[in-house]
Amino acid sequence: QVQLVESGGGLVQAGGSLRLSCAASGRTFSSYAMGWFRQAPGKEREFVAAITWSGGSTSYADSVKGRFTISRNNAKNMVYLQMNSLKPEDTAVYYCAASSYYSGSYYSKYETWGQGTQVTVSS
């Protein structure tokens, strides 16, 4: 099983960019599909993006499509979320998660979660 630690969150103005990183421990990282989710205060956790174990396939929530990009580097045990053209409604705690098989937007299928990193977008 992997352990996940997110970083890269912070405060940014609307229209700006941030890159979130998720560091995974464990030799089997490359066998896991990965996802990013977010949760704003008073709202349910929502899907942001997912990527297969190889990185060959990705999926995105409609709200971030064209602005966010998920990627991974299996040699470094890292997953990234590049976020461009940020909007105030992107403000949330962002979590990365790992699944033994590609789970897309189904958060209940993810087995391991990081502690989250706060992203705040000011208007």
Side-chain angles (χ1 to χ4, degrees):
Q1 191 173 7
V2 296
Q3 292 184 324
L4 306 173
V5 178
E6 303 95 333
S7 62
L11 174 64
V12 64
Q13 288 188 332
S17 298
L18 280 175
R19 188 175 84 153
L20 304 184
S21 299
C22 176
S25 62
R27 294 178 294 174
T28 59
F29 168 75
S30 60
S31 66
Y32 284 87
M34 300 296 295
W36 283 97
F37 291 77
R38 66 187 182 186
Q39 188 166 19
K43 295 187 177 181
E44 293 186 352
R45 191 168 298 190
E46 66 173 356
F47 170 72
V48 176
I51 189 167
T52 56
W53 67 271
S54 67
S57 182
T58 58
S59 60
Y60 297 91
D62 287 343
S63 59
V64 306
K65 201 171 294 183
R67 299 189 297 124
F68 291 11
T69 302
I70 188 171
S71 62
R72 67 189 297 162
N73 184 327
N74 287 341
K76 296 184 177 181
N77 281 15
M78 297 291 293
V79 177
Y80 305 100
L81 185 68
Q82 177 67 43
M83 305 187 296
N84 298 329
S85 302
L86 282 161
K87 305 175 181 180
E89 51 263 44
D90 294 318
T91 295
V93 177
Y94 283 71
Y95 300 88
C96 71
S99 176
S100 297
Y101 52 93
Y102 187 68
S103 298
S105 62
Y106 295 97
Y107 75 92
S108 63
K109 302 295 185 181
Y110 288 84
E111 300 144 18
T112 304
W113 293 80
Q115 83 290 347
T117 185
Q118 176 71 47
V119 171
T120 303
V121 184
S122 63
S123 57

